[in-house]
Amino acid sequence: MNLEEAKAEYLTGDFKLKARFDLLDADRAALLTRCEKYAGWTLPNVFPLSSFEDGDEIQHDFQSVGARAVTNLANKIMMALFQPSKPFFRMNLTKEQQQKAMEEIGAELPALQKAIAEVERAAAERLNKKNGRIVLTEAIILLIITGNALLVAPTDENLGVYNLRDYVIVRNIKGEPTELIIQEKKKVRNLEDSLARLCAEHGKDETADVTVYTCAKKVSEDKFLVWQELDDIAYCHKKVGLYASANLPWIPLTWNLPRNAAYGNGLVENYAGDFHTSSTLAQTILDFSSTVTDIKNLVNPAGMTDVEELAEASSGAYVTGREEDIFSYSPKVAMAADFLLSISDRVERRIGSAFLLNSMVTRDAERVTAEEIRMQAQELESSLGGVYSRLAVDLQQPLAHRLMAEENQAFKTVEPVIVTGLESLSRMSEVDRLRAMLQDAAMLSDLPDRLAIRLKYGGVLNKLAAGHGVDTEGILATEEEVAQEQKRQAAENAQLQGAEAGAVAQATGQI
C-alpha cells in the first residue's frame, strides 16, 4: 500500500482522533487509577493524580522505602543496559555485506572490523548527545512503576518519553502495536501560523489550550500511516506519511505484557500488597509516636500540692507539696509499637530484596569492570525473571537501529546485534571468549610428545573455537597459509644458518 492509497482509505475527511482517543482512554480508566496509587507509594511526581495542577503540592507517602527501591533498581538496569564507556550493540554484517564493504574501502577484514567498531562507538556516543541517559532513566522508572512508557526517538532530535496519560495503544494477539494515538496539549500561540489562524477562526485566543493528536496506524505488514489532527478543527497534512515499522519514531515499551493485553504491568504492581502494608504501617507507627509522646499529668483533687505554684515555679525552686499528689501518665503502647516496627522491618526487607535494594550498587564510573557488570546482570536476570533480556530486545535493538541510520544511511540494512542475557552486558564478551579459547589452546604445548604427535592441531583449534563460540574467520590460518608460513620460516632459518656458517668460515680464514 502506497501513501496515496493509505490516505484515501483512512483519511476520510471526518476528524476522528479525538473521539478515538477518548474512547480508548475510557477503557483503561481503572489502569490509570492503579498507576496513580503505585506512584503514590513510590515516586508521586512520576504519575501524579489526574486532578493535580501546576502549583499544587505533591503528597508523598508516609514511607520512603518505595522511592529508594525504584530509584535504586532503575539505576542498576540503566547501568546494565547502557554501560557508559562502551557501545551497547554491534553491527552484524552478512557475508555479502562484508565482501561488498571490503571492495568499497579496499581493505581486508581486520580493517573493516576496525572501521565498524568506530561507527559503533560514534553511534553510541550519539545517544548521549540526544539527552539519552536522562530520558532512558525516566522511561525505566515509568516501566517499573506503571509498566508502560512510550519512548520518542525522532531522527536527529533529542529523545523524549511519554507516560500513559499521553497515549493510547492497540495491539494484536502477538502483542505488536497496530494503532497508536498520542495527545499533546499546547497553547494556541505555540502552534504554527496556519493552525493558529484556524484556531482564531474557531473563537480560540492565543492563550487557549488545544490538543494535537498524532496517530500511527498499521496499514500493511510492515507499514504505518502517520497523520495529525488538531482537536476537531483541522488535519495537519504536512505530518502525513508512511513509515516502515523499524523507522517509526515511537517505541512503545512494557515491563511485562500479558497475553491479549494492550498495556503492561509494572514491578510495583507485583508487590502492591507489600507496598500497601508498608504504607499503612508507616502511618500507624507515626500515630503511635504521637500517642507515646502525649503525656498527661494527673493531680489528686484532695492533695496538698498547689498545681499552679508548681507550674509557675522556676527550675530548682522549692515548692510545698507531696510526690503522690501528682502522677505523669503516658499510654502503655510501647510493646505494640515494637510489634509494628518489627512487622514493618520485615515488609521493607521483602521490598528491598525484590528491588535489589540491599545488594551491591554498581559504581557509576567510566572504568566499571566487566566482572561488576556481569554480576549486576546475573542479579537482574535471576531476580526479575528475564525482564532485563526483554528490555534488551524491545528497547536496545530498535534504538540501535535508529542510531545507526542516523550515523550513516548505508547501515539501514545492517542488523544490530543485542545478545540477550549475561553476555550482552560487556562489549568485551567476544574478546573474553577468544581469550578463553587461547588459554585452552596454550595447554597443547604441555602435552607429551607421544600424544602431541597424534593430534591434528588445526582440527583441535577448530573444536576449541566452536566450543567457546568464537568465529574463526580472519583469526585461524588455513592449511595452505600454515604451509607457506612454515616454508618461509624454513627459508629464513636456512639463510640465517648460511650467514652464520659464512661468518665462521671467514673468521677461521682470518686466523
Side-chain angles (χ1 to χ4, degrees):
M1 178 180 291
N2 59 36
L3 179 59
E4 295 304 321
E5 292 174 343
K7 288 171 64 176
E9 181 172 350
Y10 293 97
L11 303 182
T12 61
D14 298 328
F15 305 123
K16 55 191 176 185
L17 291 187
K18 184 177 185 298
R20 178 66 172 163
F21 185 96
D22 292 341
L23 176 64
L24 295 176
D25 188 39
D27 291 340
R28 47 115 191 235
L31 172 63
L32 298 183
T33 301
R34 293 202 308 272
C35 289
E36 292 174 355
K37 181 170 59 177
Y38 304 150
W41 289 331
T42 53
L43 297 172
N45 59 305
V46 171
F47 201 83
L49 299 175
S50 57
S51 58
F52 179 79
E53 296 181 358
D54 292 341
D56 291 350
E57 179 185 2
I58 294 180
Q59 296 298 315
H60 292 268
D61 200 50
F62 291 92
Q63 48 79 34
S64 62
V65 64
R68 289 189 289 115
V70 169
T71 303
N72 171 77
L73 181 59
N75 288 333
K76 286 191 173 184
I77 294 176
M78 184 66 191
M79 180 62 67
L81 291 177
F82 302 98
Q83 191 177 347
S85 58
K86 298 176 183 178
F88 63 91
F89 66 92
R90 61 181 174 87
M91 292 189 290
N92 186 25
L93 275 67
T94 63
K95 301 293 184 182
E96 294 77 12
Q97 289 172 332
Q98 287 183 1
Q99 187 63 36
K100 182 179 179 181
M102 286 189 291
E103 292 174 356
E104 290 178 353
I105 67 175
E108 296 299 323
L109 183 60
L112 174 62
Q113 291 174 336
K114 181 179 179 181
I116 290 175
E118 291 176 354
V119 173
E120 291 170 354
R121 284 193 294 270
E125 289 173 1
R126 181 179 289 270
L127 180 64
N128 293 330
K129 296 177 182 178
K130 292 165 68 73
N131 203 28
R133 300 191 67 83
I134 296 175
V135 172
L136 289 170
T137 301
E138 293 177 6
I140 292 171
I141 289 175
L142 275 172
L143 290 176
I144 294 172
I145 296 175
T146 69
N148 300 270
L150 181 64
L151 186 66
V152 186
T155 304
D156 296 326
E157 296 181 24
N158 286 345
L159 298 182
V161 63
Y162 289 137
N163 65 34
L164 272 177
R165 294 198 196 283
D166 301 321
Y167 72 97
V168 293
I169 193 169
V170 177
R171 300 177 185 270
N172 59 21
I173 193 171
K174 298 178 182 178
E176 301 168 341
T178 58
E179 184 180 4
L180 173 69
I181 304 177
I182 305 164
Q183 68 167 0
E184 295 178 276
K185 297 185 182 297
K186 298 182 177 182
K187 296 290 185 182
V188 171
R189 61 171 174 263
N190 295 328
L191 298 174
E192 58 184 77
D193 293 341
S194 59
L195 295 178
R197 285 194 296 270
L198 283 173
C199 291
E201 293 174 2
H202 285 75
K204 296 182 181 292
D205 60 35
E206 63 176 11
T207 61
D209 291 321
V210 292
T211 305
V212 176
Y213 295 93
T214 304
C215 180
K217 188 173 183 63
K218 193 170 188 178
V219 295
S220 66
E221 185 64 27
D222 191 46
K223 296 292 183 182
F224 278 82
L225 177 66
V226 177
W227 78 96
Q228 289 187 323
E229 296 178 11
L230 177 61
D231 278 333
D232 291 330
I233 298 175
Y235 283 113
C236 307
H237 290 289
K238 292 181 181 179
K239 299 296 183 180
V240 175
L242 206 59
Y243 290 76
S245 299
N247 298 330
L248 205 63
W250 304 284
I251 305 174
L253 303 171
T254 59
W255 180 266
N256 182 32
L257 184 64
R259 183 176 175 81
N260 288 337
Y263 302 96
N265 301 325
L267 185 62
V268 174
E269 182 172 355
N270 295 341
Y271 295 91
D274 279 343
F275 279 107
H276 175 73
T277 302
S278 179
S279 177
T280 303
L281 286 173
Q283 183 177 4
T284 304
I285 291 172
L286 180 62
D287 293 339
F288 263 90
S289 300
S290 301
T291 302
V292 169
T293 57
D294 186 15
I295 299 175
K296 300 292 191 299
N297 293 313
L298 303 181
V299 180
N300 182 1
M304 300 174 57
T305 305
D306 189 336
V307 177
E308 293 183 1
E309 182 183 2
L310 180 64
E312 295 174 355
S314 59
S315 176
Y318 294 92
V319 180
T320 303
R322 295 188 307 175
E323 180 180 357
E324 56 268 24
D325 287 344
I326 299 177
F327 173 73
S328 294
Y329 170 80
S330 61
K332 307 299 183 182
V333 294
M335 292 183 61
D338 291 341
F339 171 75
L340 291 175
L341 285 172
S342 66
I343 297 296
S344 178
D345 287 342
R346 281 192 298 222
V347 173
E348 288 191 10
R349 283 198 296 271
R350 289 202 299 264
I351 293 175
S353 176
F355 285 75
L356 313 184
L357 190 59
N358 302 321
S359 59
M360 180 188 66
V361 177
T362 304
R363 295 176 295 116
D364 188 4
E366 289 292 327
R367 296 185 179 180
V368 178
T369 65
E371 186 61 25
E372 285 181 277
I373 296 297
R374 273 193 291 268
M375 290 174 61
Q376 187 75 80
Q378 186 173 9
E379 192 175 33
L380 290 169
E381 282 285 87
S382 59
S383 301
L384 304 180
V387 170
Y388 164 76
S389 296
R390 187 180 305 114
L391 289 176
V393 175
D394 295 344
L395 173 58
Q396 286 181 295
Q397 184 127 12
L399 191 57
H401 262 297
R402 287 155 177 78
L403 291 173
M404 286 197 311
E406 289 183 25
E407 189 64 29
N408 193 324
Q409 284 293 317
F411 299 127
K412 288 180 64 175
T413 58
V414 177
E415 184 69 18
V417 175
I418 308 295
V419 183
T420 59
L422 304 182
E423 293 186 2
S424 67
L425 300 181
S426 174
R427 187 63 175 87
M428 296 292 291
S429 58
E430 292 184 7
V431 178
D432 292 340
R433 292 197 297 268
L434 178 59
R435 184 183 297 114
M437 170 201 160
L438 294 178
Q439 288 174 349
D440 288 348
M443 298 171 59
L444 297 176
S445 61
D446 299 329
L447 294 176
D449 293 339
R450 287 181 297 177
L451 177 59
I453 198 172
R454 293 180 176 274
L455 293 179
K456 292 184 178 181
Y457 284 93
V460 173
L461 290 175
N462 284 324
K463 287 286 187 181
L464 289 175
H468 286 283
V470 174
D471 185 1
T472 59
E473 184 174 357
I475 297 177
L476 293 183
T478 63
E479 294 297 332
E480 293 78 7
E481 291 172 338
V482 172
Q484 291 176 3
E485 180 63 20
Q486 290 175 340
K487 185 177 180 180
R488 185 188 64 78
Q489 290 180 359
E492 287 183 356
N493 291 335
Q495 184 179 2
L496 181 61
Q497 291 175 359
E500 291 177 350
V504 171
Q506 183 180 3
T508 303
Q510 290 177 351
I511 295 174

